[in-house]
Amino acid sequence: MTPEAAGPAGPAGPAGPDDPHDDLLTVLPRLTQLSAAFNKGRLTERAAEAAGLALDRPAMGVLVTLRTADQPLRIGEIADRMQVVGPHVTRQVQALEKRGLVRRVADPHDRRASLIEPTGDGLDAVNRYMTSLLGWFAEALAHWPRQDREDLTRLLTRLADDVTARLARLDAEEEFTGDA
């Protein structure tokens, strides 16, 4: 059943006039639809292929994180921005280092620590990937008025920030109470 066929309350019937989440009932299926479309459509894989890259999604995630940071980052900072655990990023960075796409540099504030930055080849690779990915989105949204695209950017940013902050608070509460 499509989200339209189910109606705003879904297949179970109307939510009722006092349901405080009534407006969100139409959003959740759309988020699921987008996630499924991105995964089924292999969007990130197609962008990597179009850019001539033989890198998996996690490796591309590290490169994109470094590119959008515009500065070298510690492993922990990359992990935080990607919302994954440090050892996962460490493995990806090691593989990217072997391919010559990232390098470690000394942290000027702490000589014991190192920062990760893309090499010239790494920047070229991630720029090709981002050009491909952004080109796909530009085509998908080409018929949207500029104001709609700006609203989408503003609202998605707000949603991502608010959901991330709420989940971080929940994680902190679980750690504090020992529920984790």
Side-chain angles (χ1 to χ4, degrees), residues 79-157:
D80 288 346
R81 290 175 186 217
M82 291 179 65
Q83 298 183 351
V84 297
V85 294
H88 173 75
V89 173
T90 299
R91 285 190 298 276
Q92 293 301 322
V93 166
Q94 289 168 344
L96 290 167
E97 277 182 303
K98 287 179 183 172
R99 295 185 68 169
L101 299 174
V102 300
R103 67 176 154 246
R104 294 176 193 264
V105 295
D107 184 336
H109 304 293
D110 182 354
R111 290 288 187 206
R112 298 168 296 165
S114 61
L115 302 173
I116 310 301
E117 69 178 9
T119 62
D121 287 345
L123 275 177
D124 289 344
V126 73
N127 285 339
R128 287 193 317 270
Y129 172 80
M130 289 177 63
T131 297
S132 176
L133 193 61
L134 294 175
W136 185 90
F137 278 106
E139 286 178 29
L141 303 177
H143 65 282
W144 286 32
R146 179 176 197 83
Q147 186 62 53
D148 286 356
R149 291 191 313 267
E150 289 172 2
D151 289 346
L152 175 67
T153 300
R154 179 181 54 80
L155 292 170
L156 276 178
T157 300

